[in-house]
Amino acid sequence: MVLPFFLERRMGAYLLKQKLLGRKRYPLVLMLEPLFRCNLSCPGCGKIDYPDPILNRRMSVAECLEAAAECGAPMVAIPGGEPLIHREIGEIVKGLIAQKRFVSLCTNALLLEKRLHLFEPSPYLFFSVHLDGLKEHHDNAVSQDGVFDRALRGILAAKAKGFTVNVNATVFDGYKAEDLARFLDFARDLGVGVFISPGYAYERASGQEHFLNRRKTKELFRKVFALGKGKRWTLGQSQLFLDFMAGNQQFHCTPWGMPARNIFGWQKPCYLFAEGYAKTYKELIETTDWDSYGTGRYEKCADCMAHCGYEATAADAAISNPFKSIALAFRGIRTEGPMAPEIALDKQRPATFVHSLHVERELARLKQEEAAEAGQRLSAAE
Ligand code: SF4
Ligand code: SF4
């Protein structure tokens, strides 16, 4: 089982409601990053390149629950960093489930066996284990031997206790279609769903040479899907998103569909890079200049086909045009013939780089907080 049936039904009802209410921008999945600290250091990661004072920061349980309640998305994905490092992760998940939100806890699974006692199996909770491929491939992708075996032990332990487990795989340049197909066979036989996405070229990632451009992404997925015909792979994403990855849909991203909240605030414009922060979700929606982002508009978006930009687009398209999805379900994903026209890049504005500015501001704020706390302690002691 990839996702519980009632999750799909509830997400479908939610999407329909947004359409009937005429909402243009609505959240589908909140990307909640309660910390950036991780116990791995993958070359394709754009989330961990911060100084220690920032890596040591955590969102509190109250901040996490307030963010989910304010945003209102029916599902919350908790990536990071590594969320299982957060001491209060059990409370965060419990609180989100009490709000009747579906929770996808994304983890590299190194701590999964040890921390399973913090959670209870629930139709609202599923673990999403970072697994990029089979043993050799995955250990290479995360730059550490033995991680695949430990992740597998974590997956089996969680399944044995009755948890729903999926895996999320990020695809980089040089991944052979045959290897990816073998990994998808393995996941099917293991009984876990797979959420797959091309890696976004994070400006802070150390392995810049590994990222795919859009053309290569589409060619790779066409080959993979051709190999998968009749294999009943357990892919978790919508058919329209997969069709987009195979180059058959010309979608524009809808980053407000998967808004990101982390220790800095609500991240503008999307989960993948930061050019500002809002204090509230409302402020994020109302003050982000959405039209200045997306492929063809902004250099940093040129090669993006990531799920957090386009899965919400595909979901919206499925509700707006159900016949398109039904036809696709019957026909299957096309793996030959002309692709949908690519978005022209000649009018995109050049990238600006503001990461250091945000880091400096956050460090200054932390210093101020520390000074204020020290002052309070002093007055209490007098
Ligand atoms: S496990 Fe995830 S968060 Fe940690 S370094 Fe790797 S990609 Fe980044
Ligand atoms: S294309 Fe959209 S989702 Fe992708 S990086 Fe740009 S704004 Fe973010």
Side-chain angles (χ1 to χ4, degrees):
M1 179 171 54
V2 178
L3 293 172
F5 174 64
F6 95 105
L7 179 151
E8 290 192 359
R9 211 180 47 196
R10 253 192 63 188
M11 293 298 265
Y14 171 83
L15 282 162
L16 197 59
K17 187 174 164 196
Q18 306 312 308
K19 279 278 143 197
L20 293 174
L21 290 172
R23 288 199 178 129
K24 190 175 169 205
R25 297 196 176 103
Y26 55 87
L28 192 61
V29 180
L30 164 63
M31 306 295 284
L32 181 67
E33 299 175 298
L35 80 174
F36 289 123
R37 173 76 72 189
C38 189
N39 45 6
L40 282 176
S41 183
C42 310
C45 183
K47 296 286 179 179
I48 52 171
D49 184 27
Y50 290 105
D52 274 335
I54 289 180
L55 292 177
N56 292 339
R57 288 260 293 137
R58 309 281 183 265
M59 283 177 72
S60 68
V61 178
E63 283 175 318
C64 292
L65 300 185
E66 270 165 37
E70 193 217 338
C71 158
M75 181 181 276
V76 179
I78 312 182
E82 170 51 54
L84 293 181
I85 291 177
H86 196 303
R87 287 204 180 136
E88 294 169 307
I89 191 64
E91 299 308 307
I92 294 171
V93 168
K94 211 179 278 169
L96 293 170
I97 292 175
Q99 289 183 6
K100 296 218 176 312
R101 297 187 200 285
F102 295 101
V103 179
S104 167
L105 182 63
C106 309
T107 171
N108 59 34
L110 292 181
L111 294 170
L112 188 55
E113 268 187 288
K114 252 192 188 170
R115 300 276 199 271
L116 269 181
H117 67 278
L118 298 175
F119 310 98
E120 278 171 28
S122 155
Y124 283 93
L125 171 64
F126 50 98
F127 291 109
S128 182
V129 174
H130 172 188
L131 209 58
D132 287 344
L134 294 174
K135 185 176 166 63
E136 196 185 336
H137 182 101
H138 184 63
D139 285 355
N140 194 31
V142 301
S143 282
Q144 199 178 118
D145 288 341
V147 174
F148 177 89
D149 288 338
R150 284 175 70 183
L152 190 55
R153 277 205 301 277
I155 291 171
L156 294 173
K159 279 173 70 67
K161 289 205 165 165
F163 291 98
T164 303
V165 185
N166 292 309
V167 299
N168 64 75
T170 308
V171 176
F172 297 97
D173 199 9
Y175 209 148
K176 289 201 185 86
E178 294 74 14
D179 292 344
L180 190 45
R182 268 194 291 278
F183 172 62
L184 294 171
D185 288 343
F186 167 80
R188 177 202 55 208
D189 298 343
L190 188 62
V192 296
V194 185
F195 288 75
I196 201 161
S197 182
Y200 171 76
Y202 288 110
E203 67 194 64
R204 312 296 303 173
S206 56
Q208 286 296 319
E209 67 283 10
H210 301 308
F211 295 110
L212 285 158
N213 62 30
R214 282 168 77 101
R215 181 82 209 175
K216 281 185 173 176
T217 300
K218 295 169 191 178
E219 284 166 356
L220 173 64
F221 279 100
R222 279 197 164 195
K223 278 188 202 156
V224 173
F225 295 148
L227 290 167
K229 290 209 165 122
K231 287 198 159 190
R232 297 184 166 273
W233 284 337
T234 45
L235 289 162
Q237 280 122 333
S238 68
Q239 285 284 302
L240 271 175
F241 177 76
L242 299 174
D243 203 41
F244 163 68
M245 289 212 292
N248 301 323
Q249 303 287 336
Q250 194 199 52
F251 282 158
H252 291 274
C253 76
T254 49
W256 53 84
M258 294 204 189
R261 170 71 162 89
N262 56 40
I263 58 161
F264 295 101
W266 292 90
Q267 184 162 296
K268 294 178 173 193
C270 69
Y271 172 71
L272 298 167
F273 67 89
E275 302 220 319
Y277 290 92
K279 285 200 175 67
T280 61
Y281 174 71
K282 187 170 183 287
E283 185 187 322
L284 172 82
I285 293 298
E286 289 175 357
T287 64
T288 305
D289 180 9
W290 298 107
D291 292 341
S292 64
Y293 294 102
T295 306
R297 294 170 177 159
Y298 190 37
E299 197 180 347
K300 285 186 188 173
C301 301
D303 288 326
C304 177
M305 291 183 79
H307 75 289
C308 55
Y310 294 90
E311 185 63 86
T313 311
D316 191 84
I319 289 289
S320 305
N321 190 351
F323 294 112
K324 203 173 181 176
S325 319
I326 294 166
L328 184 58
F330 278 107
R331 165 170 51 80
I333 295 169
R334 196 161 48 76
T335 56
E336 285 173 350
M339 291 187 183
E342 189 44 280
I343 298 168
L345 299 179
D346 55 332
K347 293 199 175 65
Q348 65 182 5
R349 66 191 172 93
T352 52
F353 296 97
V354 290
H355 176 84
S356 324
L357 184 74
H358 294 301
V359 170
E360 278 161 28
R361 271 193 203 147
E362 184 66 7
L363 289 174
R365 197 175 68 79
L366 287 174
K367 255 195 186 152
Q368 268 179 1
E369 260 180 33
E370 269 170 31
E373 277 168 22
Q376 276 169 5
R377 276 199 301 273
L378 209 63
S379 345
E382 278 167 6

